[in-house]
């Protein structure tokens, strides 16, 4: 059933994304009206009474979109020749067409091509990209169904002990023919086309099931799952989260949804209501990439947030820029004073680790601590981290009272 839905959904995405990328319905409506007027003018002028010559509008429109003015004129002239002197019987319903009718059709072809090229130029994004988005989005939906998409996990550690306290679940896509597809490529496309809803549901389901298997009563493990701004605004989000927790048996307090600042500031009242619904399940909410966007502290005061993740654009500069270090220190202590958990993202080196720890950051995440790895590899790391925690504690006292633990392999 899902396979059929995906195939039919792909066709709908071609239409929907094409509309949105060409200045929405107004621009597409303009093209359709233009084609209708072109046909009527040609018909009244004694042109073809058959549909055959109007098929030439297809390559004209595509060429105009892809190659702008030059493509519009070149394809229109070529279509005019093919629809005139070379095919007189076909285009004139079995009789030769007058020279004036052919020339009029040629002018109309050129006019339509230039009109579409103008619309495509003024669009915020090109139609070719829109259709590329639709194709990649459809392949992604099929990839989820076929098992090409999987979840990897990146550790979040207690920076005093080195113990893994949580993991962040991240989607990865490996195509059989083309190999690994970069998240920077398919995730933005999924967000633009709406396929991110299916992707988020898949990651959520996989992550809560996996973490439930890793957790023990004495060492409960948390999992963070990213939720796009588009998905966060949808009404069925809470129902899907509740269903995933019920199926897996994972307590709500061990799940954390990560949302970006843009999801908060787009509609403050709706975001606050959605956060309240999520937290009613016991689920925690984190603001991801804090410091990279434009949300002010007053926005955070409006929401019941549990965790703030400081963006790597700040943490990567604490070593080289004392002013940034003071800023990050102020952010950490400010949030700690109102009982918000703070995670330093983008910890890439031992120096980053030591400085963030010295600034009072209790939790850290980054490639130095651990890269995203498949579930089976992360299971070993989770078990080993508890054993390393006690030995790491004795190492944290040399460099200004702080020393980075050995890099996770």
């Amino acid at each position: 059933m899902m396979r059929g839905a995906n195939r039919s959904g792909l066709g709908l995405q071609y239409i929907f994304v094409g509309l949105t990328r060409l200045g929405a319905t107004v621009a597409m409506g303009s093209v359709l009206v233009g084609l209708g007027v072109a046909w009527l003018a040609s018909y009244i002028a004694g042109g073809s009474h058959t549909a055959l010559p109007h098929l030439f509008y297809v390559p004209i429109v595509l060429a105009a979109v892809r190659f702008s003015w030059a493509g519009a004129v070149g394809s229109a002239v070529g279509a005019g020749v093919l629809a005139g002197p070379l095919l007189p019987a076909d285009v004139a319903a079995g009789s030769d067409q007058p020279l004036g009718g052919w020339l009029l059709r040629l002018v109309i072809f050129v006019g339509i091509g230039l009109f579409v090229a103008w619309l495509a130029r003024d669009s915020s994004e090109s139609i070719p990209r829109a259709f590329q988005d639709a194709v990649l989005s459809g392949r992604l939906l099929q990839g989820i169904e076929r098992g090409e998409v999987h979840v990897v996990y990146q550790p979040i550690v207690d920076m005093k002990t080195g113990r893994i306290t949580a993991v962040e679940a991240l989607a990865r896509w490996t195509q059989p023919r083309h190999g690994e597809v970069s998240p920077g490529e398919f995730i933005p496309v999924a967000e633009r086309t709406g396929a991110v809803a299916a992707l988020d549901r898949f990651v959520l389901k996989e992550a809560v099931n996996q973490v439930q298997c890793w957790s023990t009563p004495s060492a409960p493990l948390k999992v963070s799952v990213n939720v796009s701004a588009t998905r966060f605004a949808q009404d069925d989000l809470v129902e899907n989260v509740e269903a995933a927790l019920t199926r897996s048996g994972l307590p709500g307090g061990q799940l954390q949804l990560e949302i970006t600042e843009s999801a908060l500031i787009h509609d403050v009242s709706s975001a606050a209501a959605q956060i309240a619904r999520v937290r009613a399940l016991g689920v925690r909410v984190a603001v991801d990439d804090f410091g990279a966007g434009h949300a002010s502290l007053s926005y955070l005061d409006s929401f019941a947030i549990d965790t703030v993740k400081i963006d790597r654009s700040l943490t990567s500069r604490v070593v080289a820029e004392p002013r940034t270090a003071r800023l990050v220190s102020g952010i950490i202590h400010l949030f700690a004073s109102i009982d918000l958990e703070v995670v330093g993202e983008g910890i890439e080196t031992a120096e980053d680790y030591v400085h963030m720890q010295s600034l009072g950051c209790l939790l850290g995440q980054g490639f130095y601590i651990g890269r995203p790895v498949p579930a089976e590899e992360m299971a070993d790391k989770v078990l080993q981290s508890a054993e390393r925690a006690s030995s790491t504690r004795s190492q944290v006292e040399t460099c200004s009272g702080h020393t980075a633990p050995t890099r996770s392999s």
Side-chain angles (χ1 to χ4, degrees):
M1 181 178 295
M2 181 178 293
R3 182 175 302 163
N6 285 346
R7 288 174 179 171
S8 61
L10 177 59
L12 293 175
Q13 285 179 25
Y14 274 106
I15 298 172
F16 174 75
V17 179
L19 289 173
T20 56
R21 292 297 182 271
L22 189 61
T25 309
V26 174
M28 185 61 74
S30 300
V31 174
L32 296 177
V33 170
L35 292 175
V37 171
W39 171 83
L40 182 61
S42 178
Y43 182 87
I44 293 176
S48 172
H49 293 191
T50 70
L52 181 61
H54 305 293
L55 296 178
F56 286 100
Y57 286 124
V58 175
I60 292 173
V61 169
L62 292 178
V65 169
R66 180 64 180 86
F67 301 106
S68 190
W69 311 103
V73 174
S75 61
V77 171
V81 172
L82 291 175
L86 298 186
L87 298 174
D90 290 335
V91 300
S95 60
D96 292 342
Q97 58 182 323
L99 179 62
W102 168 65
L103 290 176
L104 175 62
R105 180 180 296 114
L106 178 62
V107 171
I108 292 174
F109 280 170
V110 173
I112 286 294
L114 295 178
F115 178 60
V116 174
W118 174 75
L119 283 177
R121 181 204 63 185
D122 288 349
S123 300
S124 60
E125 295 191 39
S126 67
I127 296 178
R129 180 176 176 180
F131 280 88
Q132 290 171 4
D133 281 0
V135 171
L136 187 61
S137 174
R139 289 175 180 170
L140 175 60
L141 293 175
Q142 294 172 353
I144 294 174
E145 178 187 348
R146 296 170 180 170
E148 298 171 6
V149 179
H150 60 282
V151 180
V152 295
Y153 301 87
Q154 185 173 26
I156 300 171
V157 304
D158 182 323
M159 296 185 71
K160 288 184 177 179
T161 65
R163 181 180 179 185
I164 298 174
T165 62
V167 294
E168 180 177 354
L170 303 165
R172 294 292 184 267
W173 181 18
T174 304
Q175 289 187 317
R177 295 178 59 185
H178 305 291
E180 192 81 18
V181 183
S182 169
E185 179 181 356
F186 72 82
I187 290 180
V189 169
E191 291 177 344
R192 290 195 294 267
T193 61
V196 73
L199 182 63
D200 283 354
R201 284 195 298 268
F202 171 78
V203 174
L204 175 65
K205 178 182 176 181
E206 291 291 313
V208 296
N209 287 338
Q210 190 62 70
V211 172
Q212 171 63 4
C213 293
W214 291 338
S215 295
T216 63
S218 60
L221 186 69
K222 297 176 184 176
V223 60
S224 286
V225 177
N226 292 278
V227 178
S228 68
T230 302
R231 180 67 181 134
F232 185 71
Q234 295 178 350
D235 293 335
D236 64 341
L237 171 67
V238 177
E239 287 73 14
N240 288 329
V241 170
E242 185 175 17
L245 292 173
T246 300
R247 286 193 300 264
S248 66
L250 186 74
Q254 290 178 238
L255 172 62
Q256 180 167 267
L257 300 184
E258 294 189 14
I259 56 179
T260 60
E261 295 176 3
S262 61
L264 299 178
I265 64 178
H266 180 69
D267 189 335
V268 174
S269 59
S270 296
Q274 191 78 308
I275 289 174
R277 294 179 64 200
V278 169
R279 296 185 84 249
L281 301 176
V283 175
R284 299 168 60 85
V285 177
V287 174
D288 193 19
D289 300 333
F290 181 82
H294 306 286
S296 65
L297 295 176
S298 62
Y299 280 113
L300 294 183
D301 188 48
S302 304
F303 307 108
I305 299 296
D306 300 286
T307 304
V308 175
K309 302 186 75 173
I310 302 177
D311 187 67
R312 66 184 67 243
S313 62
L314 292 176
T315 59
S316 64
R317 305 197 327 255
V318 297
V319 174
E321 301 178 14
R323 183 173 179 177
T324 302
R326 292 193 295 270
L327 173 62
V328 171
S329 176
I331 292 173
I332 292 171
H333 288 89
L334 173 62
F335 288 148
S337 69
I338 56 176
D339 298 323
L340 288 183
E341 191 175 71
V342 179
V343 179
E345 293 185 299
I347 297 177
E348 310 296 323
T349 67
E351 284 186 301
D352 291 343
Y353 193 105
V354 169
H355 276 72
M356 287 299 294
Q357 189 182 6
S358 69
L359 296 177
C361 189
L362 301 180
L363 299 173
Q365 179 181 3
F367 285 178
Y368 175 77
I369 293 169
R371 292 177 177 269
V373 295
E376 52 273 16
E377 188 173 341
M378 180 53 65
D380 294 335
K381 291 180 179 294
V382 170
L383 294 175
Q384 294 169 5
S385 70
E387 300 174 359
R388 289 200 307 266
S390 57
S391 61
T392 301
R393 188 179 298 110
S394 63
Q395 299 177 10
V396 195
E397 297 177 354
T398 33
C399 180
S400 300
H402 303 277
T403 297
T406 304
R407 178 174 178 171
S408 176
S409 59

